[in-house]
Amino acid sequence: MGLINRFSLSRDMGIDLGTANTLVYVSGKGIVLQEPSVVAIDQDQKTSIAVGEEAKRMLGRTPSNVIAMRPLRDGVIADFETAELMLKHFIRRVHEGKALVSPRIVIGIPSGVTGVERRAVIEAAAQAGARDVRLIDEPVAAAIGAGLPVAEPTGNMIVDIGGGTTEVAVLSLQGTVLSESVRVAGDELNDAVTQYMKKVHNLVIGERTAEDIKIKLGSAYPSEDDNEATMEVRGLHLLSGLPRIVAVKAAEIRESLTEPLSIIVEAVKRTLERTPPELAADIIDRGIMLAGGGALLKGIDTLISHETGIVTHIAAEPLCCVVLGTGRVLENFKQLERFFSGPVR
Ligand code: ADP
Ligand code: MG
């Protein structure tokens, strides 16, 4: 009895259902799962053969009957059944071996997800055993997780650069004052690298390689130490059709990222222009907070600060802000309950 009680106390969950990564927080424990939002499906059998990290390794490497897909790719639920399957899989994995006491679940979802999709996310979590499912908009959860004082009457700006979407929001006492979501984030940066390699080096590379280049060599703003940085990239030579290794410079990759980055910067500027003056004054004092995996791109804080004239900070753990935010909401449920967004909007 005592055991069951202890488990039942620690089963409440906060989930970040991201376009690139899903994270799960269990109250009293912290983050217990962090996996890519990828599912590999056998199309003949119509069954999933891998979920998460294992499925991500299969991206671009599957035989013809298997597809590795990202059900939330562009910040909307592109493939409903698969999203549901993935969510259930992760919830059950966290439950594994424990007494299954129906938990309360708080789920952070991209703000562009429609009412119908919201209901379906709630339904999927309920089917996986949740007793009480609440949704929270990702920018709100990210701001809470980044430690911004969202409950105070002061303006806070959060910019969450994920895989599929960048969400810019100004928050204050009443929750979200204004927000904007653009479908340009980490994935588009990867695409820009892919196109650059093809156009300039005649080299065809896969999505994983492009992401690798972006993370290791990419930057948003010139800095002295990356002037000499180079990387050997493996791919298929467009003309000969044969595998080839090409050396690329950091400066080239920075150049290739300019266009998608300018779309992100414009979204931040537009939101600032629409911000009521008192809140804008607060943001000038407090600065802009960056979250999401894209905040880890070298020099992105300098770029945004340079373009807007406002000090820009990177959250302590950008990839974990949303899930930490859902965790804080779970643990201060009554106090933070008003931040939940309804299923219909
Ligand atoms: P989502 O919330 O959409 O699931 P995440 O916040 O998990 O997205 O961020 C994923 C994105 O962050 C990916 O596009 C990934 O390439 C990018 N990313 C992760 N680490 C880095 C890094 N060190 N530098 C640049 N981009 C990064
Ligand atoms: Mg996210």
Side-chain angles (χ1 to χ4, degrees), residues 9-26:
L9 277 176
S10 65
R11 291 296 91 186
D12 286 348
M13 289 178 202
I15 301 178
D16 169 8
L17 194 57
T19 66
N21 297 294
T22 297
L23 291 85
V24 179
Y25 180 103
V26 169

Side-chain angles (χ1 to χ4, degrees), residues 18-21 161-164 186-187 190 211 214-215 292-294 296-297 319:
T19 66
N21 297 294
I161 309 169
D187 293 338
N190 298 348
E211 181 172 42
K214 173 187 74 177
I215 291 175
L296 292 168
L297 180 71
L319 285 161

